[in-house]
Amino acid sequence: MFSGSTGYAGSHDRPAPAGRPHRPSVRIALQRAGLTLGAALTLAACQSPEPDTLPVTGTITWASGEPLPADAVISVQLRDVSRADAPAPLVALQEITSATTPPIAFSLAVPATGLDPRASLSIGVRITSGDRLIYISDTANPVPVTGAVEPVAVKVVPVGERSDTVPE
């Protein structure tokens, strides 16, 4: 034990106040362990690796708010729409079968490795009942490839109708 140390930072020459336990400060605990604060922070940083996925979350809503049929399947697709006049490759997919009323939450874990930082990603949603398409997203729902990804609010419309909104 360090001589004269009470365990309180900045109070090495005073005893602990009455009624308070004798606890070492973080700095003193690190010194006792033979570590500096910088070394401790470096160790902590090494233990939490960078995530290798791009989390994409959001909600799906529709104007009527009517419940979906019991057999409804919600397909949330993240596609790379970078190339004009070419099929948009599927990057990630989530199928939801247990949700019935809006808003319906979705979450995609997109592998960040291999994504071109110049890519244009977009979320599309299709809701089917049996073999029949009943709702679809008809506006662009862009997702950034780099930086923070905000939750995406996707509005779907009944098949046969178009939304009155313009993509932002």
Side-chain angles (χ1 to χ4, degrees):
M1 182 147 211
F2 297 114
S3 75
S5 171
T6 62
Y8 290 92
S11 62
H12 298 292
D13 55 350
R14 293 187 307 241
R20 296 187 88 181
H22 179 72
R23 293 181 300 174
S25 70
V26 171
R27 183 173 56 84
I28 291 173
L30 289 173
Q31 285 175 346
R32 288 179 185 165
L35 296 172
T36 64
L37 185 56
L41 291 174
T42 302
L43 284 172
C46 291
Q47 293 175 354
S48 50
E50 289 289 322
D52 56 351
T53 60
L54 174 71
V56 179
T57 62
T59 56
I60 304 162
T61 59
W62 51 95
S64 72
E66 293 177 18
L68 295 174
D71 67 339
V73 176
I74 302 165
S75 176
V76 182
Q77 302 174 358
L78 180 65
R79 293 191 174 268
D80 182 350
V81 294
S82 302
R83 297 176 51 196
D85 299 329
L90 184 64
V91 176
L93 170 70
Q94 179 184 12
E95 290 195 329
I96 304 167
T97 58
S98 60
T100 59
T101 57
I104 296 172
F106 65 87
S107 178
L108 299 168
V110 181
T113 55
L115 279 180
D116 185 342
R118 299 167 296 172
S120 295
L121 301 179
S122 185
I123 292 278
V125 175
R126 300 170 52 90
I127 303 176
T128 57
S129 175
D131 291 335
R132 196 182 67 157
L133 180 64
I134 55 175
Y135 287 96
I136 192 165
S137 56
D138 67 346
T139 57
N141 299 288
V143 174
V145 175
T146 58
V149 178
E150 296 293 323
V152 181
V154 180
K155 294 180 181 174
V156 294
V157 296
V159 171
E161 296 181 23
R162 303 260 324 158
S163 79
D164 296 333
T165 61
V166 176
E168 295 178 2

